[in-house]
Amino acid sequence: ARCQCKVAAMERNNCGYPGISAAECKKIGCCFNNSIPDMPWCFTPKPKKVKKSCPTDVRGRRNCGFPGITAKQCERRGCCFNSHPAGVPWCFYHRVVEE
């Protein structure tokens, strides 16, 4: 999570109050860096980077469609499609992994 706090000084969004302590700032889920005067010391972290992938384990499939859905209909919903094996959802949600 440390890389989420690499925010350019000019792009920092204030996340605390004047004189907030580092411990108090971190407790509310924000980043603290007091090395630059006249810039917010307690600021909002960058959003987490996530990677979407289609689960390879059939047991990890969470249904995103309906029986008989086509690949095109499934992809329009933004989901994964794989018609093998039978008996499991063919249209299923991505797995989202934090990078």
Side-chain angles (χ1 to χ4, degrees):
R2 196 174 296 154
C3 56
Q4 287 178 257
C5 289
K6 288 197 170 107
V7 180
M10 300 306 290
E11 290 167 19
R12 288 181 182 177
N13 291 316
N14 205 347
C15 190
Y17 50 86
I20 191 170
S21 71
E24 199 58 40
C25 177
K26 289 189 174 107
K27 201 185 289 172
I28 57 173
C30 297
C31 302
F32 188 86
N33 180 335
N34 60 3
S35 63
I36 305 167
D38 303 322
M39 283 290 147
W41 288 0
C42 181
F43 52 94
T44 319
K46 279 192 230 171
K48 288 187 170 92
K49 279 204 175 103
V50 292
K51 196 172 78 198
K52 285 166 90 175
S53 65
C54 294
T56 47
D57 183 0
V58 293
R59 291 180 307 245
R61 292 183 183 180
R62 286 182 13 257
N63 202 350
C64 178
F66 50 86
I69 191 169
T70 67
K72 210 174 220 86
Q73 288 169 318
C74 178
E75 282 155 17
R76 242 184 255 134
R77 290 177 171 214
C79 293
C80 304
F81 185 86
N82 185 343
S83 57
H84 297 282
V88 294
W90 288 2
C91 180
F92 47 96
Y93 290 98
H94 287 91
R95 217 182 40 221
V96 176
V97 188
E98 283 181 13
E99 287 183 337

